[in-house]
Amino acid sequence: MYWKEVAFYVSLGKEKNYGHAVRVLKEIRTLMKRNKWMDEWNGRYKTFLEEHRRKKLLLRALESIKE
């Protein structure tokens, strides 16, 4: 459900929408970390990055996710 929300906001484009997507991704990471699902997080996040590698503004917004 959260991944679909991220996809929706990314599809809208614009910095504001990317910011919302990043906040949701942080929430996903927190939940997955709490449940010890970091392998799944790493795989899905890597796939997400590959899908959106050309969106420079999004990638800039995603810098705050790095640990």
Side-chain angles (χ1 to χ4, degrees):
M1 179 170 74
Y2 287 117
W3 287 101
K4 287 182 182 182
E5 183 176 353
V6 170
F8 172 74
Y9 279 97
V10 168
S11 72
L12 295 176
K14 308 245 188 226
E15 188 173 7
K16 177 183 169 186
N17 297 320
Y18 290 159
H20 183 80
V22 168
R23 287 189 295 278
V24 175
L25 282 168
K26 286 179 180 180
E27 180 77 19
I28 293 170
R29 184 186 65 191
T30 299
L31 291 170
M32 293 183 93
K33 190 173 188 177
R34 188 177 307 144
N35 289 295
K36 299 180 178 28
W37 296 334
M38 288 309 288
D39 288 339
E40 183 177 345
W41 161 259
N42 291 330
R44 291 194 72 168
Y45 186 66
K46 181 180 177 185
T47 300
F48 176 81
L49 290 175
E50 289 171 6
E51 289 174 11
H52 302 291
R53 69 183 176 270
R54 294 179 184 228
K55 297 177 179 163
K56 302 299 180 192
L57 191 58
L58 174 61
L59 296 178
R60 207 169 321 139
L62 290 169
E63 288 177 4
S64 66
I65 287 189
K66 295 178 184 175
E67 293 182 48

